[in-house]
Amino acid sequence: MRHRSGTAAASERCRGGVAAITYVASPVDAKYQSLNVSVPVKIDGKAVDATNAPIVFANAVGGYRPSSVADATGVGGAEMTGGMPTGGAGGGASPSASAGPSASSSAGTGEVQSGGNAMVNAQGGMVNLGKLGLAAGYVVVEPGARGRTLTDSAGTYYGTAPAAIVDLKAAVRYVRANKGVIPGNTDRIVSTGTSAGGALSSLLGASGDSPIYDKYLKELGAADASDAIFATGAWCPITDLEHADGAYEFNWGTNVTASAGKVVDQTVSKALRAQFAEYQASLRLRGRNGFGPLTARNYDDYLVQTYLQPSATKYLAALSEADRATYLAANTFITWSGGRATFTWADFLTHVGARKKTTPAFDAFDLSAGENNEFGAGTTEARHFTAYGAKNDTTGLSTKRVASDIPEKLDLMNPMHHIGEENPGRSRHWWIRLGTKDSDTSLTVSANLAAALDDLGDDVNHLYYWDEGHGSNVDPGDFLTWIAKVTGDSKRRRSAK
């Protein structure tokens, strides 16, 4: 079924297992520009009316690579092309991995057995929020999207920036244009994503109905509808790429690298830290919970007080006395007193240990980073997207300047751009998570995102998972409960009983 004037018999997919639906009239590659819809019909044998249920919009993007649902046989079947997302394991799994719990669905039928504690996964693992969303009684839309590695027969890259976010916006527009055909409340779309998918989820939430995407959406024949979403879920978002190198060095600059076992070039690291300080000052953010102006000088204290110590406290408080004593004996940098964990920033960095990436972490001097490929164009596989990266290029480029089209692409790919402009179409409800041992990016990235949204008065639920790595999700049940709360779905559930 192809998109025609904003309508399609999409509901057939929910019960009959129809192939993935192309969500634009003029697709570049329908294998990736298509979506699946799954609707709960029964949960534990009880009929479910999902007519007005929230819609979980679950992307499976990792590493800014392409994602497809073309061959999916059921909910949670989206595939990310090219292997693991940026950073790989770190305690997590691929975004397309199946859920650990016993929640399951019959492909195409929407019949679900919740399995009791199906919303709780093993610590350090990753869940499939599409499967769990269906088990919770939500409609699940799984969109495919083009990604940075795609090339045509002429060697032209057709999935680099801003293809992925444009595709996801087009998919949202398709869903909203088919209100009443696709089951669920199209005014209550909640996006989810992890790693680069988390960045795209946050970008989708921040940039709703922004006109800067209009020309790209028009080229695809996207539906004439809103692409704003109601709420945003983002796990370890790899975003704010033009400032990510400086943020990374601020956070992990003195830690040894996992690959080399030694610290990176400190001249480069210090130069990037100076860039972070300048950028942070330009944001003029105030820390959450009354912390005050947030600068490079006090950001370590802010992270420790606002996120890291509370995270450790929650983790330790949940342990048995014996297990807590064992953990504290092995981690003497933590002081446990009055049911609260305290420690210093320096000791926390030592506890984390080796960092994942070298420097620069994102705009590599040799153009080897995945993000360099994300900003490739034409038949050029990878390009620099920061002035510092271009100036210090080691590949022998004839010019050491950033290409003229890069600034526009950076705005198209960065949620902070839209938040800074107070985009009126942005999501007002945010769930942001990452692990304290996630050195795939800086801990400041999601903290800045949360602080900026909090400064605007948005509803922000942001915390860090203690001792967890990249891709972790240890509280999926809480997220699903949060969806019910912020969307008002609790009332629908009560009336159904």
Side-chain angles (χ1 to χ4, degrees):
M1 283 176 276
R2 295 271 180 105
H3 161 66
R4 292 286 188 272
S5 302
T7 61
S11 61
E12 293 181 19
R13 165 66 180 86
C14 309
R15 294 178 174 80
V18 176
I21 307 161
T22 304
Y23 52 70
V24 289
S26 303
V28 176
D29 192 332
K31 176 180 179 180
Y32 301 100
Q33 293 171 303
S34 59
L35 58 80
N36 284 347
V37 181
S38 299
V39 179
V41 175
K42 291 182 180 180
I43 297 179
D44 292 337
K46 184 177 180 179
V48 174
D49 179 6
T51 304
N52 293 309
I55 298 173
V56 175
F57 189 83
N59 85 68
V61 175
Y64 290 101
R65 296 183 180 93
S67 173
S68 175
V69 297
D71 298 322
T73 57
V75 66
E79 294 182 356
M80 186 267 293
T81 302
M84 294 291 290
T86 299
S94 165
S96 59
S98 298
S102 56
S104 61
S105 65
S106 301
T109 68
E111 296 185 15
V112 180
Q113 303 297 321
S114 66
N117 293 323
M119 301 304 134
V120 181
N121 74 318
Q123 187 179 48
M126 184 172 176
V127 302
N128 188 297
L129 288 171
K131 286 186 175 182
L132 295 188
L134 189 68
Y138 304 136
V139 174
V140 177
V141 173
E142 296 174 287
R146 289 169 293 163
R148 62 180 173 85
T149 58
L150 295 175
T151 56
D152 61 18
S153 58
T156 300
Y157 286 84
Y158 64 90
T160 55
I165 185 59
V166 171
D167 285 354
L168 293 182
K169 282 178 167 290
V172 171
R173 288 188 174 200
Y174 180 89
V175 171
R176 294 186 71 122
N178 283 282
K179 180 178 182 179
V181 179
I182 293 178
N185 187 340
T186 57
D187 291 325
R188 292 293 184 268
I189 296 174
V190 183
S191 71
T192 70
T194 301
S195 191
L200 291 169
S201 182
S202 60
L203 180 56
L204 197 63
S207 66
D209 292 334
S210 171
I212 70 174
Y213 301 90
D214 286 350
K215 65 179 181 180
Y216 299 97
L217 290 162
K218 185 177 181 179
E219 288 174 358
L220 295 176
D224 184 14
S226 170
D227 54 60
I229 60 171
F230 184 78
T232 304
W235 285 259
C236 50
I238 303 291
T239 189
D240 200 0
L241 296 177
E242 62 264 47
H243 305 107
D245 287 327
Y248 195 91
E249 294 311 311
F250 166 83
N251 198 148
W252 309 114
T254 59
N255 288 46
V256 301
T257 59
S259 58
K262 60 182 180 180
V263 297
V264 298
D265 185 332
Q266 289 299 294
T267 299
V268 173
S269 183
K270 289 177 181 178
L272 289 170
R273 276 178 255 171
Q275 291 180 22
F276 171 76
E278 183 177 350
Y279 171 60
Q280 193 63 45
S282 73
L283 291 175
R284 298 184 178 180
L285 295 178
R286 299 185 69 83
R288 303 181 70 199
N289 303 327
F291 185 84
L294 195 53
T295 71
R297 293 182 181 180
N298 62 18
Y299 217 125
D300 52 354
D301 290 336
Y302 176 65
L303 288 171
V304 169
Q305 295 174 26
T306 307
Y307 294 111
L308 300 179
Q309 288 181 164
S311 176
T313 297
K314 180 179 180 180
Y315 172 81
L316 288 166
L319 297 178
S320 66
E321 288 190 21
D323 288 344
R324 184 165 55 248
T326 299
Y327 185 90
L328 291 170
N331 296 276
T332 56
F333 74 96
I334 298 176
T335 298
W336 180 257
S337 177
R340 181 170 177 264
T342 57
F343 46 83
T344 67
W345 173 249
D347 284 340
F348 166 73
L349 293 179
T350 300
H351 172 66
V352 172
R355 56 187 260 177
K356 180 67 180 290
K357 300 179 178 180
T358 58
T359 194
F362 297 92
D363 189 359
F365 294 156
D366 63 359
L367 294 172
S368 62
E371 289 74 18
N372 291 123
N373 180 208
E374 172 65 5
F375 291 98
T379 57
T380 301
E381 179 181 10
R383 297 189 298 169
H384 291 294
F385 52 92
T386 67
Y388 188 76
K391 180 181 178 181
N392 292 281
D393 174 78
T394 59
T395 67
L397 294 176
S398 59
T399 178
K400 293 197 173 185
R401 293 185 178 181
V402 170
S404 60
D405 64 311
I406 290 291
E408 178 190 4
K409 284 185 168 61
L410 290 171
D411 288 346
L412 290 163
M413 298 302 296
N414 193 347
M416 296 298 287
H417 168 76
H418 303 278
I419 296 166
E421 294 189 346
E422 299 187 37
N423 175 40
R426 74 179 185 279
S427 166
R428 296 300 200 273
H429 303 278
W430 298 79
W431 178 278
I432 307 170
R433 296 290 189 271
L434 78 163
T436 61
K437 283 191 172 182
D438 183 352
S439 65
D440 277 57
T441 191
S442 171
L443 301 182
T444 65
V445 171
S446 65
N448 269 349
L449 178 63
L453 294 164
D454 192 69
D455 284 356
L456 295 180
D458 290 358
D459 166 35
V460 181
N461 189 316
H462 180 216
L463 59 79
Y464 293 36
Y465 303 132
W466 185 251
D467 274 359
E468 294 294 339
H470 194 62
S472 295
N473 181 357
V474 304
D475 56 355
D478 291 342
F479 174 65
L480 297 174
T481 300
W482 177 80
I483 291 177
K485 177 182 177 182
V486 300
T487 62
D489 191 55
S490 299
K491 296 179 181 178
R492 178 183 68 93
R493 291 165 177 271
R494 285 196 297 269
S495 65
K497 291 182 178 180

